[in-house]
Amino acid sequence: MEKFKASDRELSTWYSKIKLGEIMLPRFQRFEAWDRKRISSLLQVLANNLPLGITLILKTDKEPQFISRFIETAPEKFDSVSELLLDGQQRLTAFWRMMNNNYENETYFLYIPDWDKDSTPPNEDSILGYCQPRWYRKVNGKISKYPIWADDPESCFYKGLLPTQLLRPENIENEINDWVNKALNAIKPDDNDSDYLPKLVAYTKKIEQRESIKKMITDLREII
């Protein structure tokens, strides 16, 4: 019988294993139970480079010893299963779903006070996890997800909010660049603009700011 072994595992490894379908939950594990407050608190723990906590896994064959299911919203690849998660399900489910920001009725952000130009909460002095409740509304025959600003990079940046899907440990450089460009709304002025010079100055400042924003995102991603 294999002995118990304690070891550290980086969050990027957990993420990869969940994405590849290598981890399942035995049937006796309860379903998701954490509320928004606990999920937001976990996000703050991650951003401050603190340990996620203790987990317990059971190595398994291709066919798990128990009737099992995959972590909520994770890819289902039955041929890849190598571990059963016996303890730590709530934390890892929250981590996986925040990194993909795929909750139906809430969107998660990291609040970054240095970016905040708004006068509404959270208005804190430190980086923290923030949850924005979402809902659907039908207007003029079209169903949209509200508040609209939660999907708009420029509005989010104005409020000091970075969507958590930009922190997931994957190669998403193009996605990050696209978000930063939209957040700054940096449009290069046309040579024929009557106010070309002030527009060019503003554009140049935003391009310089762009590198600062990308560095902040990179630093947070490296923590995870």
Side-chain angles (χ1 to χ4, degrees):
M1 180 178 179
E2 185 178 354
K3 294 181 179 180
F4 290 104
K5 181 181 178 181
S7 60
D8 292 332
R9 177 177 285 181
E10 294 182 352
L11 289 174
S12 57
T13 302
W14 280 113
Y15 182 91
S16 177
K17 283 183 170 292
I18 295 172
K19 182 180 179 180
L20 294 173
E22 295 180 6
I23 298 176
M24 291 189 76
L25 303 169
R27 184 172 60 177
F28 53 78
Q29 282 274 32
R30 61 179 179 164
F31 288 88
E32 286 183 274
W34 274 16
D35 57 21
R36 297 166 180 173
K37 184 177 180 180
R38 295 191 71 175
I39 296 172
S40 298
S41 295
L42 176 66
L43 180 55
Q44 190 169 349
V45 166
L46 301 181
N48 286 282
N49 202 19
L50 299 174
L52 185 65
I54 295 174
T55 58
L56 180 64
I57 59 171
L58 174 67
K59 296 287 186 179
T60 186
D61 299 323
K62 297 291 183 180
E63 296 184 6
Q65 294 93 322
F66 306 99
I67 297 176
S68 305
R69 68 182 188 278
F70 287 93
I71 286 177
E72 189 70 26
T73 75
E76 298 184 0
K77 301 178 181 180
F78 291 91
D79 292 338
S80 302
V81 179
S82 60
E83 296 176 349
L84 292 178
L85 183 60
L86 304 181
D87 186 41
Q89 183 239 138
Q90 299 298 331
R91 282 166 289 158
L92 288 176
T93 298
F95 168 67
W96 165 259
R97 299 200 65 178
M98 280 192 300
M99 291 298 99
N100 290 279
N101 232 340
N102 60 16
Y103 287 95
E104 181 67 18
N105 298 313
E106 55 255 17
T107 298
Y108 286 89
F109 300 89
L110 266 185
Y111 171 72
I112 301 175
D114 289 347
W115 295 357
D116 191 359
K117 301 176 184 65
D118 200 3
S119 57
T120 55
N123 280 326
E124 300 287 344
D125 295 328
S126 59
I127 293 178
L128 50 79
Y130 178 75
C131 173
Q132 175 58 50
R134 307 297 301 274
W135 62 92
Y136 290 92
R137 182 184 300 168
K138 189 174 184 179
V139 179
N140 297 325
K142 181 182 178 181
I143 298 177
S144 299
K145 197 170 187 177
Y146 286 79
I148 300 290
W149 66 256
D151 296 318
D152 175 46
E154 187 174 5
S155 299
C156 291
F157 178 66
Y158 182 81
K159 294 175 180 292
L161 299 174
L162 175 70
T164 54
Q165 71 267 21
L166 296 183
L167 300 174
R168 70 187 190 274
E170 296 186 67
N171 183 7
I172 55 170
E173 185 176 355
N174 290 338
E175 186 177 339
I176 292 172
N177 287 335
D178 182 62
W179 187 90
V180 173
N181 288 335
K182 290 177 180 177
L184 293 175
N185 195 19
I187 302 174
K188 189 173 183 179
D190 189 273
D191 292 341
N192 298 320
D193 285 348
S194 57
D195 53 352
Y196 173 78
L197 187 56
K199 282 186 176 180
L200 180 62
V201 171
Y203 173 77
T204 302
K205 287 182 177 179
K206 284 190 174 182
I207 294 302
E208 293 173 351
Q209 187 181 18
R210 178 179 183 273
E211 297 309 311
S212 174
I213 296 171
K214 285 188 64 177
K215 184 179 185 306
M216 171 64 78
I217 296 174
T218 298
D219 290 346
L220 289 168
R221 285 171 52 80
E222 286 179 354
I223 290 173
I224 293 177

